[in-house]
Amino acid sequence: MIKKKHILFIGILLIFSCQKKKEQLYLKQGLYISNVTIISTENGNYDPYIGHLVVENDKIVYIGKNEPSISGIFEQFDGTGKFVIPGLIDGHVHMTEVQGMLYRHMEKYPELVKEFKNQMPRSYLYYGFTTIINLGGISDEQINSFNKQPLKPDLYHIGYSGAGVANGYPMIYAPEEFRFENQPYFLYLESQAEHIPKKYKPADHTPKSVVRRIKKSGAIAVKSYYESGFGMMSNLPLPTKSMMTELLNESHANGLPLIVHANSLTGHSFLADIGVDILAHGLWNWEKYKQVPTDSLPLEIKEILDLQIQKQIGYTPTLTVIEGEGALVDKKFINQPVLKKVIPKKLLEWYKAEEAQWLGKDLFSHSNPEEVYKSYGKLQSHAMLVLKYLSDNNGLILFGTDTPSGPIYTNQPGHNGYWELTLMNEAEVPLNKILASATINNAKAFHLDSSVGSLAIGKKANIIIMDKNPLKDIEAYDAIEKVIIGGQVVKRDDLEVKE
Ligand SMILES: [Zn+2]
């Protein structure tokens, strides 16, 4: 039996030796970033320090203030004057789309589609997005062809489709002949029974059976919708409270978070009440309050937000949805030089052509640009007011762009993420909260925090090296020097479109 004083003695020896000895690391295929300012958090509080970071293969093996002693084979960077953060996570993308194109355009221009698909993963990385979460339907083929790309973010998804109600949003937009095939996880609504083909059995489309299949598909979350529609397509069928509650319980029973599309007062109120995990959009459709001034929140909206805060429901602002749609009337948008870095040349040319302007014409045929700016400006001010309230009152903010929010060319991969970050900054969300939203908050909300979301031993080496401090300057997100994805170091310039 070891006596107590012996244990104490061994303890003192250990402390003594730890202080004296440097961390010994033997690397076979390593990467060492020295003297760099490390900006990472596990809990939302940042305490940056100058330190050292060591990667072996695709994992972080050392991080700390003390200089490690390294031998073996490794590459070294002097990080003096530079900043490292964990790779960014965009929790709301649709990487299955080609921005600005409908099916007929894709059929007509297969070359443009191919060039876009080859560049798209690199464009996300160009702006530091090393993880993307696809929140619409995806096929195995789409997953495989994305993963075949040599340089790409880590892709996660919600399965072959969302769990929306039959003939509701978004499946109502698909032509009837493949509407049901394309939405294998639709939820059976008795009220829709007459409009559901007989081969689909109610028992296969309960929350329980749908979630089980979603889990099997390799999804990391269940996506659903609360959307009554817009314009000509309004009064769409909606999920009932008991159905959404069951969907939430079944998701949790399968270890998946439930993320729900909603941007209206009614939707946010309904979902806050149920206590879903994540809201896929901000609350910008204020319904009966849509004309109120943009300087204060109506009490009813405040109460809904307070409930979201109390339950710590993840809130994804997706400010670029509004900004991107409004930008369809902005002739200058597509001429921004920066877009040449993320959009292949021929596709960029096509966006400037008459044919690509179809959506702007559809949406805004009866209004001039000034009217569009005014109405979208109001919507955005409301969205920003809500975001600021949540930010000021300890709401759980998650980063997500909804890239692209529809078939629009103004939400481009990567570029849209940077735009979203700058809009959050405009909404006066502090820089530390912006960074947390795009890293640790998203990682925790989507249960990915054992591998990404912060810089820590054992986590994946998804790391961004910046020339500016992202806790001081939002432009740091456009001052990226290198992106490390799964331990592979890539210079930012190598990620841009090659002529
Ligand atoms: Zn979306």
Side-chain angles (χ1 to χ4, degrees):
M1 196 178 125
I2 303 173
K3 284 185 183 160
K4 258 191 186 159
K5 66 175 180 190
H6 287 148
I7 295 175
L8 189 68
F9 179 68
I10 295 166
I12 290 167
L13 257 182
L14 274 173
I15 292 166
F16 189 66
S17 62
C18 285
Q19 277 174 344
K20 274 194 89 178
K21 252 195 201 161
K22 278 184 178 181
E23 184 88 18
Q24 298 282 337
L25 293 162
Y26 175 77
L27 305 175
K28 283 184 181 155
Q29 197 197 330
L31 172 67
Y32 172 28
I33 308 169
S34 58
N35 294 306
V36 71
T37 301
I38 294 172
I39 303 175
S40 177
T41 183
E42 298 298 331
N43 59 15
N45 302 316
Y46 286 92
D47 190 9
Y49 62 92
I50 294 178
H52 306 266
L53 203 151
V54 184
V55 170
E56 167 92 304
N57 297 317
D58 65 343
K59 296 264 172 14
I60 296 171
V61 293
Y62 175 80
I63 181 162
K65 284 181 186 163
N66 297 333
E67 195 181 322
S69 162
I70 309 176
S71 55
I73 302 158
F74 63 96
E75 211 181 328
Q76 182 171 353
F77 296 123
D78 176 11
T80 306
K82 307 210 181 284
F83 305 84
V84 289
I85 61 164
L88 304 175
I89 303 167
D90 189 336
H92 190 161
V93 308
H94 298 274
M95 48 63 70
T96 51
E97 308 299 311
V98 178
Q99 269 67 347
M101 285 192 168
L102 290 173
Y103 187 67
R104 63 167 194 267
H105 302 122
M106 295 190 223
E107 286 231 292
K108 190 170 168 190
Y109 302 109
E111 268 308 301
L112 299 188
V113 172
K114 202 173 148 202
E115 285 180 17
F116 174 83
K117 301 246 171 200
N118 285 335
Q119 174 59 34
M120 175 261 289
R122 291 206 302 270
S123 295
Y124 277 111
L125 292 175
Y126 182 83
Y127 279 101
F129 293 93
T130 53
T131 301
I132 55 173
I133 303 171
N134 193 67
L135 289 192
I138 197 168
S139 66
D140 288 333
E141 200 212 320
Q142 284 167 322
I143 296 169
N144 293 338
S145 79
F146 181 88
N147 284 335
K148 262 189 221 144
Q149 296 287 340
L151 284 171
K152 65 202 175 278
D154 299 334
L155 169 66
Y156 295 93
H157 61 86
I158 51 116
Y160 304 129
S161 82
V165 295
N167 295 310
Y169 180 89
M171 67 187 289
I172 194 71
Y173 291 96
E176 257 181 290
E177 56 268 39
F178 19 73
R179 185 177 299 166
F180 292 87
E181 253 169 75
N182 283 354
Q183 300 283 320
Y185 311 135
F186 77 84
L187 295 168
Y188 206 100
L189 269 186
E190 269 316 314
S191 59
Q192 287 294 312
E194 273 179 42
H195 310 285
I196 301 172
K198 290 285 165 278
K199 64 173 177 172
Y200 297 100
K201 302 287 169 257
D204 295 333
H205 293 274
T206 61
K208 193 183 179 103
S209 122
V210 158
V211 171
R212 206 180 310 135
R213 276 180 283 142
I214 291 174
K215 172 80 180 177
K216 249 178 136 177
S217 73
I220 61 157
V222 173
K223 167 96 181 272
S224 193
Y225 310 85
Y226 190 95
E227 177 61 71
S228 58
F230 349 81
M232 307 261 285
M233 292 277 210
S234 39
N235 298 318
L236 299 176
L238 291 166
T240 61
K241 192 169 177 186
S242 65
M243 185 179 257
M244 191 58 82
T245 305
E246 207 185 325
L247 194 63
L248 177 67
N249 293 338
E250 289 302 328
S251 301
H252 289 181
N254 283 276
L256 303 173
L258 174 64
I259 175 162
V260 189
H261 161 109
N263 53 46
S264 66
L265 190 153
T266 312
H268 274 244
S269 169
F270 174 85
L271 297 166
D273 203 27
I274 291 169
V276 303
D277 299 301
I278 305 171
L279 297 155
H281 290 289
L283 198 180
W284 59 71
N285 177 0
W286 285 14
E287 297 174 341
K288 62 185 168 202
Y289 301 111
K290 73 176 178 204
Q291 296 306 342
V292 305
T294 54
D295 54 358
S296 75
L297 280 173
L299 184 64
E300 190 183 350
I301 294 184
K302 215 180 254 183
E303 283 170 355
I304 295 167
L305 300 179
D306 287 339
L307 189 58
Q308 293 181 8
I309 294 164
Q310 187 210 319
K311 295 188 178 179
Q312 285 291 287
I313 296 174
Y315 179 98
T316 322
T318 62
L319 298 167
T320 43
V321 172
I322 301 161
E323 212 70 15
E325 222 169 274
L328 286 172
V329 297
D330 179 3
K331 294 267 181 289
K332 293 193 296 291
F333 178 89
I334 204 65
N335 291 315
Q336 297 174 86
V338 66
L339 292 178
K340 289 184 188 160
K341 296 182 189 287
V342 291
I343 306 173
K345 199 174 171 187
K346 280 187 209 143
L347 182 59
L348 190 56
E349 285 309 312
W350 184 72
Y351 287 147
K352 293 174 188 172
E354 189 71 18
E355 192 181 18
Q357 304 299 318
W358 65 274
L359 184 61
K361 279 188 203 149
D362 262 22
L363 289 173
F364 309 122
S365 56
H366 302 296
S367 24
N368 63 45
E370 275 59 46
E371 287 165 342
V372 173
Y373 294 140
K374 204 174 155 207
S375 66
Y376 279 75
K378 183 131 193 167
L379 218 49
Q380 191 67 298
S381 307
H382 284 163
M384 286 186 173
L385 207 56
V386 170
L387 178 55
K388 181 165 173 15
Y389 183 82
L390 287 165
S391 169
D392 288 348
N393 293 283
N394 220 12
L396 176 59
I397 300 167
L398 305 179
F399 182 88
T401 53
D402 196 12
T403 301
S405 68
I408 68 176
Y409 62 80
T410 43
N411 292 155
Q412 288 294 332
H415 176 265
N416 205 44
Y418 178 59
W419 201 7
E420 182 77 27
L421 291 162
T422 61
L423 290 168
M424 289 171 83
N425 183 52
E426 255 177 62
E428 295 177 43
V429 179
L431 290 165
N432 60 336
K433 293 196 178 190
I434 293 178
L435 178 56
S437 78
T439 53
I440 192 70
N441 291 2
N442 264 356
K444 285 183 177 169
F446 287 96
H447 306 176
L448 298 173
D449 52 316
S450 63
S451 71
V452 294
S454 67
L455 302 174
I457 292 174
K459 286 206 183 188
K460 205 170 171 203
N462 287 353
I463 304 162
I464 312 302
I465 306 179
M466 296 168 146
D467 291 326
K468 292 182 183 172
N469 184 346
L471 297 179
K472 295 227 165 101
D473 190 350
I474 194 72
E475 283 173 22
Y477 295 97
D478 197 22
I480 293 170
E481 186 196 291
K482 290 187 181 81
V483 175
I484 302 171
I485 175 83
Q488 187 181 355
V489 184
V490 192
K491 277 199 241 123
R492 193 188 196 199
D493 296 350
D494 292 340
L495 293 164
E496 42 174 86
V497 171
K498 293 283 162 289
E499 297 267 324

